[in-house]
Amino acid sequence: MSALIDALRQRLPASRVITDELRRLAYGTDGSFYRLTPEVVAVVEDEDEVRDVVDLARSHRRPVTFRAAGTSLCGQAVTDGVLVLLGEGLATCRIAPDGATVKAGPAIVGAEVNRRLAPLGRKIGPDPASINAAKIGGIAANNSSGMCCGTAQNSYRTLASIRVLLADGTLLDTGDAASRAAFHASHGALLDSLARLSDTVRADHALAERIRTKYKIKNTTGYSLNALVDYTDPIDILAHLMIGSEGTLGFISEVTYRTVPEYAHKASALVFFADMETACRAVVGLKQQPVDAVELLDRASLRAVADKPGMPPLLKTLADGATALLIETRAPDAADLQRRIDAVLAELAPYPLIEAPAFTTDPAEIDRLWNVRKGTFPAVGAVRKPGTTVIIEDVAVAVPDLAAACLDLQALFAKHGYSEAIIFGHALEGNVHFVFTQDFGIASEVARYAAFMDEVCALLVEKYDGSLKAEHGTGRNMAPFVELEWGTQAYGLMKEIKALFDPDGLLNPGVIINDDPAAHLKHLKPMPAAGQLYAPVDRCIECGFCEPQCPSHGLTLSPRQRIVGWRELSRRQAAGEAPGRLGEDYLYMGLDTCATCGLCATACPVGIETGALTRAVRGENLSGVARQLGKLAADHFGATQALARTALKAGHVAEAIVGPKALGRLTGGAWKEGMPRPQPLGRATRSDGDKVVYFPTCAGRMFGADTPEHALSATVVRVLERAGYAPIVPEGVDALCCGQSFASKGMAAEADAKSAQLEAVLRKASDNGKHPIVLDASACSLRMKTFLAERLPVFDLVEFAHDALLPRLMLQKKSDPVLIHLNCSARRMGFEAKLKQLAAACAVQAVMPPEVKCCGFGGDRGFAVPELNAHALRKLEVPAGCCGGYSSNQTCEIGLTNATGLPYRSIVHLLDECSAEAARLATC
């Protein structure tokens, strides 16, 4: 293997040839319950690099697996050979002027494609639940679908053309006439073989009809044999065989989709039936009506979410056997939407419902209803025992068989002891998921799972002729059962297809085609208990939904990968093994480069905040001396901050001598261009008006501005007074801190002590909560809101400016565009709309770059590990003519200023400038 690694390093930059144990372990995990640790991970940025890596792997007789986001649920994105990881160079997106088609690279996230299509009222057809994390390469290679796309709008049905790199290195672009002609010349034998297979199938009327029948419902078991009956041109057959091939036939380097409409007008209703059979009978009729989604939830799934906040009270009182259908209909305008609602209600009218159905068009209420459906899977995952995993299976039957199949599945749950299992799914397509928990660390439990799956597969195939995998792909999980579902003749076709495209068995071996009847019981992922410092870690199912939110993803580790690494370290500790090099690497990759921003929790199905784990581990790793120094700093915070301000002044002196770039190099990137200068605290001058307590936070007090009047505290006071408020700044501010800076380093006790000290001061200043309290940094606001739990009326500056200041201020809009950054704390508090509205009131064009989430500064991380900040902001683009940027965290603004060369300041500065200009113009 070392020879292959050497060869890869000659072809790729060394940083993109990953061989360390920690990251190989991390990339040995996908969204499934399998683990295979790759020998090497090669990060590729274009087709040429893919071709060269595959050629090198072939010459060294090593298997290759392609990986996009790694959210696959059946083990198709892991390998013990060469893992080819798609880099950002393959995250391309080109939209036709009318939005009718989109060319998408395999490394772009599906939701990002839809975001770019949204202004044209279009979207891609496939809509997997993982679309916010899953990438186009995986969506196409798995033929993934979801709640609305059915069989009509999946990748297979909406494919316009495809670029594919075959195992021998040949590139085919089916949308390019020259490429097609060249491929005919070079690979005529392959195309002739595909044409022969198609002719053979068409001539066998029974086989052809069976294939057509199998694809009337969702089916991703095995290869897309429908290509052999749907198309006669062998290149079109090839293109559609690639859809759902899971990286076993070639590498998909671009997909051109025919897009579908994204209607703005929507209505949803949650309809309750007394039993499963009646609900499923209603689905048969609803399939003929103008509905876009019909989600089925059995009684167990409704019970699992009944106690969650915001759930309908009825969920707690339903009788056993009750079943719900969540129905959604969409339309291009309100009148058409009402016609569709009326049609659905008329269809439901004959059925004896538990309560009268009622559609809502209110977006908040629609979200509340869909949270019932979205909460089912996490609800099972959240209550499982440490050391177990959550399994989500994915099957389909003909819609008329849905009720009987669900009842049979429930009987199998009971027979095999899966009392926690729930059923939900896309009833309109006869596609249901069943979720249960499983311990793969005990041989008897593995045997129970094996017996259960054998019976499930036999039931679905022999009784219902159903799909063993409807939308998740075959992977390793269902590969041993492909022949059972399809029969010997059709399975023989699949093996012939594999041999035609990959005669050496180089591409993702063991996936889809696997002659080992026990393959689904091998390479099972261990899930050792790891929640000794932060219990929610044991809930992690390693799905990867968190990764697009994380500023260190792609630099070191993502939240999922941090948990994978921590689980292995916990296992080693429990077994008495040394942490080894993996433990050494985890200090930097797992701890130092974690921004602890918490955005991972906003995407996690079970609400895990990996930053909390990082803080806990940092605290556990603190030496006695470090802890004493932390306590000293907390106890003498005023002196500590004065010392920091002195150091900052010294830095500016040094900058004047050697220059900002040289000083940045000398300090390892800690010193930033445009570093603010310390300034005195702003003082209130107005005593009349509505009282508001203003607490200037630590960073704002330390990092000032070029002049005293532009300091953050002075600006906040000035704007508050201009809006008619009489600000109260508490006494002894320099010694006060919310505790956030201590919490980020794992000093929980010191952090809570500082929070409690601040609470006492704020309580006194606000007359026991009579007056509102405003903090000027979102991270500190979130900290105090969480700590106080509504004991005092604390407002973030963004929140207060939007709710209280905007109505009182006259504003003159800036004509130049401005950038705004929604920092992670403001995002977690739900202030995106408020920040956008503030900026829109102050500027003709306010731009919030969608590719940027957390800036990666992470309090002091931007000083200690500046590469984290640089990586997080690598996609930030400055609009032409932009005059500045605005946010609501001082340290974030330092990092943003350094990255863009534009002055970033608090949003209150924008309000100050625009209200001052409005006042000036009013006096002219």
Side-chain angles (χ1 to χ4, degrees):
M1 192 62 184
S2 61
L4 173 58
I5 291 172
D6 289 343
L8 287 170
R9 285 176 174 155
Q10 290 177 17
R11 177 59 184 88
L12 302 175
S15 62
R16 292 201 269 121
V17 180
I18 298 171
T19 59
D20 59 89
E21 182 185 9
L22 175 56
R23 284 186 291 171
R24 287 192 299 110
L25 175 75
Y27 284 116
T29 287
D30 63 2
S32 73
F33 49 90
Y34 297 98
R35 172 177 292 162
L36 285 163
T37 302
E39 294 179 78
V40 62
V41 179
V43 184
V44 294
E45 299 289 353
D46 58 39
E47 292 169 337
D48 289 339
E49 291 185 352
V50 175
R51 178 188 292 110
D52 291 347
V53 170
V54 172
D55 284 347
L56 288 171
R58 180 189 297 103
S59 66
H60 289 81
R61 298 181 176 274
R62 298 306 301 149
V64 172
T65 293
F66 306 115
R67 179 182 175 114
T71 56
S72 301
L73 294 168
C74 299
Q76 55 266 63
V78 292
T79 180
D80 55 3
V82 179
L83 186 68
V84 178
L85 183 65
L86 308 192
E88 291 177 348
L90 290 161
T92 56
C93 183
R94 292 176 291 165
I95 299 171
D98 60 355
T101 60
V102 58
K103 293 180 179 293
I108 191 167
V109 173
E112 175 61 18
V113 177
N114 281 344
R115 184 193 67 77
R116 299 185 191 189
L117 284 166
L120 298 169
R122 310 292 291 181
K123 65 178 180 178
I124 59 172
D127 60 344
S130 58
I131 196 167
N132 289 329
K135 297 179 179 178
I136 291 297
I139 291 172
N142 292 321
N143 198 20
S144 305
S145 55
M147 287 179 275
C148 297
C149 81
T151 56
Q153 295 182 347
N154 59 22
S155 292
Y156 181 93
R157 294 296 179 192
T158 58
L159 180 69
S161 66
I162 195 168
R163 281 175 69 92
V164 60
L165 194 67
L166 298 187
D168 66 3
T170 303
L171 179 68
L172 168 65
D173 184 346
T174 68
D176 180 79
S179 180
R180 292 172 73 109
F183 194 80
H184 268 286
S186 65
H187 286 68
L190 171 62
L191 295 177
D192 288 345
S193 295
L194 292 177
R196 175 183 53 79
L197 285 178
S198 177
D199 291 342
T200 300
V201 170
R202 288 170 181 275
D204 187 331
H205 298 295
L207 178 58
E209 185 57 31
R210 172 158 177 73
I211 290 171
R212 292 188 184 98
T213 299
K214 290 286 289 178
Y215 287 102
K216 288 179 181 177
I217 61 175
K218 286 187 179 183
N219 193 323
T220 60
T221 309
Y223 290 121
S224 300
L225 292 183
N226 46 340
L228 299 176
V229 297
D230 291 342
Y231 299 95
T232 55
D233 186 322
I235 285 187
D236 291 337
I237 293 171
L238 183 154
H240 289 82
L241 281 173
M242 287 296 160
I243 301 299
S245 63
E246 302 177 29
T248 64
L249 303 182
F251 172 71
I252 298 171
S253 63
E254 185 178 75
V255 178
T256 303
Y257 282 113
R258 292 186 296 273
T259 62
V260 300
E262 171 66 314
Y263 294 135
H265 296 267
K266 303 175 183 180
S268 293
L270 188 60
V271 183
F272 296 96
F273 298 79
D275 56 72
M276 176 74 71
E277 186 175 356
T278 307
C280 292
R281 195 165 68 248
V283 173
V284 177
L286 287 170
K287 193 169 176 63
Q288 310 306 315
Q289 299 302 328
V291 293
D292 290 271
V294 178
E295 293 293 296
L296 178 144
L297 299 104
D298 73 349
R299 182 66 187 99
S301 64
L302 294 170
R303 188 179 295 113
V305 299
D307 293 327
K308 302 291 182 184
M311 293 295 111
L314 181 62
L315 298 189
K316 296 182 179 181
T317 61
L318 292 170
D320 288 345
T323 303
L325 295 179
L326 178 56
I327 304 169
E328 181 160 296
T329 183
R330 304 172 180 176
D333 55 63
D336 193 8
L337 181 66
Q338 188 58 54
R339 285 191 291 271
R340 297 182 186 208
I341 292 171
D342 292 342
V344 175
L345 291 175
E347 180 65 37
L348 293 172
Y351 293 93
L353 304 177
I354 292 175
E355 64 177 18
F359 275 90
T360 179
T361 57
D362 176 38
E365 185 64 15
I366 289 174
D367 286 345
R368 189 176 76 89
L369 293 179
W370 279 93
N371 283 338
V372 176
R373 162 65 175 83
K374 293 174 182 177
T376 51
F377 177 45
V380 175
V383 298
R384 76 184 196 274
K385 295 178 182 177
T388 64
T389 190
V390 179
I391 295 178
I392 178 168
E393 287 297 346
D394 162 48
V395 302
V397 296
V399 173
D401 293 332
L402 186 58
C406 288
L407 293 172
D408 283 342
L409 286 172
Q410 289 173 337
L412 286 180
F413 298 158
K415 177 180 177 180
H416 291 275
Y418 291 108
S419 58
E420 77 290 350
I422 64 172
I423 294 176
F424 60 88
H426 320 313
L428 211 57
E429 304 298 329
N431 174 203
V432 294
H433 304 302
F434 52 97
V435 179
F436 57 98
T437 63
Q438 179 66 49
D439 189 339
F440 285 127
I442 303 171
S444 60
E445 283 293 288
V446 176
R448 177 170 72 122
Y449 170 75
F452 172 65
M453 288 306 298
D454 284 346
E455 286 205 51
V456 166
C457 292
L459 168 74
L460 289 164
V461 171
E462 294 168 8
K463 186 173 181 179
Y464 297 108
D465 195 21
S467 304
L468 297 178
K469 283 295 177 184
E471 59 182 11
H472 292 169
T474 306
R476 301 173 187 282
N477 179 232
M478 206 50 65
F481 301 95
V482 175
E483 186 172 7
L484 172 68
E485 175 177 331
W486 277 99
T488 302
Q489 185 182 13
Y491 187 60
L493 287 172
M494 294 182 189
K495 294 180 79 170
E496 191 170 350
I497 289 167
K498 172 67 173 174
L500 284 172
F501 283 89
D502 184 25
D504 298 327
L506 178 74
L507 303 181
N508 221 4
V511 169
I512 297 183
I513 302 297
N514 196 322
D515 293 331
D516 182 356
H520 62 304
L521 304 176
K522 297 177 179 177
H523 307 296
L524 298 171
K525 184 194 300 180
M527 291 290 236
Q532 61 271 29
L533 296 179
Y534 177 61
V537 163
D538 285 329
R539 300 202 300 259
C540 179
I541 55 178
E542 300 179 5
C543 64
F545 286 13
C546 55
E547 292 186 339
Q549 307 298 321
C550 180
S552 64
H553 178 45
L555 173 68
T556 51
L557 298 178
S558 69
R560 163 170 65 173
Q561 294 172 328
R562 284 188 170 87
I563 291 175
V564 170
W566 180 247
R567 279 176 164 157
E568 174 60 14
L569 289 171
S570 298
R571 185 200 66 76
R572 293 184 184 187
Q573 183 180 38
E577 300 175 15
R581 180 59 187 269
L582 185 146
E584 295 174 14
D585 287 344
Y586 195 83
L587 294 176
Y588 172 74
M589 295 186 191
L591 302 181
D592 290 350
T593 55
C594 178
T596 66
C597 63
L599 290 187
C600 48
T602 66
C604 176
V606 290
I608 298 167
E609 184 192 343
T610 312
L613 169 66
T614 298
R615 289 190 292 270
V617 178
R618 285 175 183 169
E620 188 76 3
N621 289 351
L622 282 174
S623 66
V625 172
R627 193 167 291 282
Q628 285 298 318
L629 287 173
K631 188 175 187 307
L632 184 67
D635 292 343
H636 301 86
F637 193 75
T640 301
Q641 190 162 58
L643 185 63
R645 289 164 64 89
T646 299
L648 186 58
K649 290 177 182 177
H652 278 285
V653 172
E655 181 186 50
I657 297 171
V658 303
K661 286 186 169 56
L663 187 57
R665 289 194 299 270
L666 289 170
T667 59
W671 186 264
K672 313 291 182 187
E673 288 196 59
M675 191 79 86
R677 297 174 181 273
Q679 296 293 350
L681 195 65
R683 299 296 177 185
T685 60
R686 180 171 181 165
S687 57
D688 61 315
D690 297 327
K691 290 183 170 23
V692 57
V693 176
Y694 165 49
F695 175 64
T697 57
C698 312
R701 301 198 305 263
M702 187 188 325
F703 300 109
D706 289 339
T707 59
E709 63 271 19
H710 291 116
L712 176 58
S713 58
T715 305
V716 173
V717 168
R718 186 164 56 249
V719 173
L720 286 171
E721 291 183 341
R722 190 175 291 147
Y725 285 95
I728 302 168
V729 178
E731 296 179 2
V733 160
D734 282 340
L736 298 174
C737 170
C738 72
Q740 176 65 19
S741 57
F742 296 93
S744 67
K745 295 172 179 59
M747 300 177 182
E750 290 80 1
D752 286 348
K754 296 306 292 182
S755 296
Q757 180 188 19
L758 179 58
E759 177 184 2
V761 172
L762 294 178
R763 185 174 298 279
K764 179 180 178 182
S766 67
D767 193 8
N768 205 32
K770 180 180 177 181
H771 310 307
I773 301 163
V774 178
L775 278 67
D776 59 22
S778 293
C780 303
S781 303
L782 177 58
R783 165 79 188 175
M784 289 307 294
K785 281 173 176 280
T786 304
F787 180 82
L788 290 168
E790 299 184 353
R791 293 192 298 272
L792 289 175
V794 169
F795 296 89
D796 181 57
L797 182 56
V798 170
E799 177 185 21
F800 192 79
H802 175 274
D803 297 350
L805 300 184
L806 267 188
R808 297 187 176 205
L809 292 172
M810 292 190 303
L811 299 169
Q812 178 65 32
K813 286 189 177 185
K814 284 179 170 287
S815 57
D816 295 328
V818 300
L819 279 166
I820 51 174
H821 174 67
L822 181 70
N823 62 69
C824 43
S825 296
R827 189 182 298 272
R828 290 173 64 189
M829 289 186 286
F831 294 159
E832 179 173 356
K834 292 181 188 292
L835 183 62
K836 285 181 175 179
Q837 288 164 18
L838 280 172
C842 295
V844 172
Q845 182 185 2
V847 179
M848 182 182 291
E851 297 87 357
V852 178
K853 296 179 176 67
C854 174
C855 71
F857 212 90
D860 65 353
R861 295 295 83 195
F863 299 124
V865 279
E867 63 270 28
L868 175 61
N869 182 225
H871 180 76
L873 297 179
R874 67 196 182 281
K875 297 180 182 178
L876 177 56
E877 296 183 2
V878 177
C882 184
C883 59
Y886 301 90
S887 187
S888 58
N889 256 350
Q890 189 86 4
T891 51
C892 297
E893 292 150 19
I894 291 172
L896 289 158
T897 296
N898 183 67
T900 63
L902 287 177
Y904 266 82
R905 295 175 294 167
S906 169
I907 189 70
V908 76
H909 287 281
L910 186 59
L911 285 173
D912 181 40
E913 294 167 16
C914 294
S915 58
E917 178 64 9
R920 186 189 68 80
L921 291 174
T923 60
C924 292

